[in-house]
Amino acid sequence: MAVCYGISQTGPTCMCAGGNPCSAQLGKGALNLSCLSGIPDPSCTVDRGMWFDLCSTKIRLAVSNGSGWSAGGAMPYNINQGNGGGTQNAAYHYGGTLGTGNPAVSCTAEYNGSTWSAGGALPAILRFPFRGCVGTQNAGISIFGFNAPNNLNATYEYNGTSWATGGSGGCTVRNGAAFGTQNSAAAAGGFTSVDVVGTQEYNGTSWSGGGNIITGRQSVSGAGQSQNTGWMAGGNDGGVIVSCAETYNGTSWSTTGALPSVQQIGGSTGRQSYGMMTGGRNASAIFSDVYLYDGYLWT
């Protein structure tokens, strides 16, 4: 992965992302391009702005980091292997299991930015739905999943009060990546009896086939604003935890810069050009790391 940091008479000079500091012009200000290899790390002090990466021929976005994390309201129960969506002040979570050895549940919880409250229950118990920030609190969607001993192809749609059954997917599968909205969603990868490379697209009524991902995997996370603009990252490929990331244009997938570490089952949110991965784990440790994504590189 290269970033151009200067132009000579013979053309641009490039360095590896994270190399020695150099300057580039952005508007009237000079920027440190070792900070611009994706989204700045905490030691950088650049302001928001756009710049042109000659090596990738892409317009890139520099964004300042937020001020950090603070405690929010606790969920009404301890749960994992579920999913959710929405925004910081209007989120929802559904499905999952209440701990090792416990069965799946149909619970839904809603968040208002301060506290969680109970929402309408799913029509079925499930865990390992496709993972990613998908839908909103008042227009949510649950995609496929697992209810022992079977994988599922069911889709459920949420209106902020209750769930209804939507269109059935083309195959029964669990634990892939999801992104988009209730009426424009994509589901990629996952696990049947093997890791899956297929993508399915949802129009609010029915599912159809999309382009194959480049690296088939499960326990992968995704986010994006529609079935035509999304990303997926990390996951488990045949028992090997990976760091690879891909973006989708509604037809085909493209490889982008890898996560800084191998990881699976992390949280994910954002858009294709500004995404975030939180937490997750590798084979030996659980992470508290946060990685930011500009659609091309991670920091």
Side-chain angles (χ1 to χ4, degrees):
M1 195 70 64
V3 175
C4 293
Y5 62 87
I7 300 176
S8 68
Q9 292 181 345
T10 59
T13 304
C14 298
M15 66 178 179
C16 293
N20 294 327
C22 341
S23 293
Q25 196 71 21
L26 176 61
K28 296 182 179 179
L31 293 177
N32 180 326
L33 278 190
S34 65
C35 295
L36 287 177
S37 55
I39 298 174
D41 64 45
S43 66
C44 296
T45 57
V46 300
D47 294 323
R48 296 175 183 270
M50 299 184 73
W51 61 287
F52 186 63
D53 178 355
L54 288 165
C55 290
S56 66
T57 65
K58 292 179 181 290
I59 294 175
R60 304 277 302 284
L61 178 67
V63 286
S64 301
N65 281 318
S67 58
W69 292 86
S70 59
M75 290 189 70
Y77 37 74
N78 296 323
I79 196 162
N80 62 13
Q81 299 176 358
N83 192 48
T87 66
Q88 185 180 81
N89 295 319
Y92 75 114
H93 181 278
Y94 57 88
T97 177
L98 301 179
T100 303
N102 289 310
V105 297
S106 61
C107 304
T108 300
E110 299 181 1
Y111 190 59
N112 63 8
S114 301
T115 58
W116 290 87
S117 59
L122 283 159
I125 62 174
L126 62 87
R127 56 188 173 127
F128 295 127
F130 272 52
R131 179 180 296 102
C133 186
V134 60
T136 65
Q137 189 181 83
N138 294 319
I141 183 171
S142 169
I143 299 173
F144 312 150
F146 178 73
N147 181 14
N150 299 314
N151 292 326
L152 307 174
N153 68 346
T155 303
Y156 301 115
E157 300 176 2
Y158 192 55
N159 63 7
T161 303
S162 60
W163 291 87
T165 301
S168 297
C171 63
T172 57
V173 60
R174 69 177 188 258
N175 212 16
F179 52 85
T181 68
Q182 190 181 84
N183 294 319
S184 179
F191 182 79
T192 52
S193 57
V194 296
D195 293 332
V196 172
V197 298
T199 299
Q200 299 184 62
E201 299 176 359
Y202 191 60
N203 62 7
T205 303
S206 59
W207 290 90
S208 59
N212 286 346
I213 60 176
I214 297 166
T215 302
R217 49 199 145 136
Q218 60 171 309
S219 300
V220 58
S221 302
Q225 54 268 50
S226 75
Q227 66 181 215
N228 298 320
T229 48
W231 56 265
M232 61 189 300
N236 189 309
D237 175 14
V240 178
I241 301 172
V242 297
S243 62
C244 50
E246 304 177 30
T247 59
Y248 191 56
N249 63 9
T251 303
S252 59
W253 289 88
S254 301
T255 300
T256 66
L259 285 161
S261 65
V262 298
Q263 71 175 77
Q264 60 181 344
I265 59 175
S268 53
T269 189
R271 304 170 70 84
Q272 190 180 77
S273 59
Y274 183 30
M276 180 169 69
M277 287 276 288
T278 59
R281 68 171 302 147
N282 60 19
S284 60
I286 298 172
F287 300 148
S288 61
D289 297 339
V290 177
Y291 298 129
L292 300 178
Y293 186 52
D294 71 351
Y296 186 59
L297 289 176
W298 296 87
T299 296

